[in-house]
Amino acid sequence: MKQSLLFASVIWALILLPSGARAVTYINETFEDDTIGVAPADPAQKNVAQVTVAAGTGVIGTDNVARFNDTSVSAGGDLEYNVGTTNTVGNLYIQFDLLNNAPGNTGSAVNPTIFGLGPWSDASGTKLGAAANRAFGIEYYQTGSSSTLKVRSNSTALVTATYDMLTLQTVKIWVNDNDSATLDYIRPDDLTTATLSANSFVIWVNNALVGTETASGLGMNVVGIGSTVGDTTLGRLGFNSSSTTLTDFSIDNLLVTDVAAIPEPSTVGLLLFGVGLLGWYSRRRAPAIR
């Protein structure tokens, strides 16, 4: 009887967790349901060009991945999605894995693939192909011993840094599309609370800030097509390359949620405490082995 009551208490603790732990997940794309050799398909996907599903490697995993292989100098490549509905998304958490399939450390910083986020649009064509269309973008360059990683708002490079082109890049992004209010989030390096400034974003790569970033983030684009003026403007996101460069990257494990969908450490602690308490009680009740 006591064990049943304890079990029920743990279940109710899960049910009564803050609503943030059960918030919106917009995209959880692992490409597992797609066919190798053809373009990926997803209800949220709005445009795909020069992207096919491939078998993962030991570096990025052994499951399916999207291979973004731009082989044309006359047409850009892209893999774009739309999340939410018009004027409803005020904050986002975005995570994905990215691997450079053809790294080279010679030549200038050329041949980037760009992850970008911009205003909501349900158009089927490319919407994020130009810097002015994005709230911000992070650019991974295929080759180049310097200037191989950039963070941009419109055409302005806010951060110019480098990355290890042989290493899997796990990118985590928090976005606050509110013109006046700040947004708290949990730093992935030490699990402490950080505060993201109004109308800002912050990018962590392999649980480290990018270049000269601070935990309070960088300001988003506020002019032109990609302007984020207003509190709920976001929704279009994805990967692009230009029409004059060639790129070859693998993309996997794309997760897009609102920020509240990520359990805070206190929530995780409550879960672990409940599970541990139940396990301890079960061991006490178990008969001794003689």
Side-chain angles (χ1 to χ4, degrees):
M1 180 64 178
K2 290 182 179 179
Q3 187 171 5
S4 298
L5 289 174
L6 180 58
F7 181 76
S9 298
V10 172
I11 295 300
W12 274 109
L14 297 177
I15 294 172
L16 295 175
L17 284 174
S19 60
R22 308 187 304 275
V24 179
T25 296
Y26 297 107
I27 299 173
N28 188 6
E29 180 57 85
T30 62
F31 305 104
E32 285 307 281
D33 296 328
D34 296 299
T35 303
I36 290 178
V38 301
D42 186 283
Q45 183 178 287
K46 294 298 179 182
N47 196 55
V48 59
Q50 304 188 65
V51 178
T52 57
V53 175
T57 67
V59 177
I60 200 168
T62 56
D63 53 353
N64 292 357
V65 301
R67 183 180 180 186
F68 185 174
N69 188 16
D70 184 347
T71 59
S72 172
V73 294
S74 60
D78 50 87
L79 173 63
E80 292 189 4
Y81 297 83
N82 214 46
V83 300
T85 57
T86 181
N87 299 326
T88 61
V89 178
N91 65 74
L92 284 173
Y93 170 74
I94 303 160
Q95 181 173 323
F96 59 87
D97 292 332
L98 184 112
L99 182 66
N100 189 336
N101 291 329
N105 60 4
T106 60
S108 60
V110 296
N111 307 339
T113 188
I114 305 166
F115 174 83
L117 175 66
W120 188 92
S121 172
D122 62 355
S124 59
T126 303
K127 296 298 292 183
L128 301 173
N133 293 12
R134 308 181 198 115
F136 65 87
I138 177 169
E139 306 176 358
Y140 275 96
Y141 290 82
Q142 193 84 64
T143 62
S145 57
S146 62
S147 302
T148 54
L149 175 62
K150 291 186 178 182
V151 177
R152 223 183 265 278
S153 173
N154 204 323
S155 59
T156 301
L158 304 176
V159 174
T160 299
T162 60
Y163 75 103
D164 185 347
M165 289 178 283
L166 299 176
T167 301
L168 178 68
Q169 304 291 294
T170 297
V171 180
K172 300 176 181 179
I173 304 172
W174 282 263
V175 185
N176 179 23
D177 185 22
N178 189 295
D179 291 347
S180 57
T182 59
L183 177 70
D184 286 344
Y185 72 98
I186 304 302
R187 297 173 55 119
D189 58 345
D190 60 12
L191 299 183
T192 61
T193 299
T195 300
L196 186 58
S197 300
N199 203 45
S200 295
F201 67 96
V202 66
I203 300 175
W204 296 75
V205 176
N206 294 338
N207 293 336
L209 288 163
V210 176
T212 56
E213 270 191 314
T214 64
S216 60
L218 301 166
M220 292 193 288
N221 184 13
V222 293
V223 299
I225 299 173
S227 172
T228 56
V229 173
D231 294 342
T232 54
T233 63
L234 303 176
R236 189 67 167 226
L237 57 91
F239 304 85
N240 287 272
S241 65
S242 75
S243 59
T244 60
T245 61
L246 309 177
T247 64
D248 188 358
F249 286 83
S250 290
I251 300 162
D252 202 6
N253 303 318
L254 175 62
L255 175 67
V256 183
T257 74
D258 64 19
V259 172
I262 310 165
E264 296 187 4
S266 58
T267 298
V268 175
L270 178 61
L271 290 172
L272 294 176
F273 174 76
V275 172
L277 187 62
L278 184 58
W280 172 82
Y281 188 82
S282 297
R283 285 194 299 271
R284 284 196 64 198
R285 298 288 296 175
I289 299 176
R290 298 182 185 275

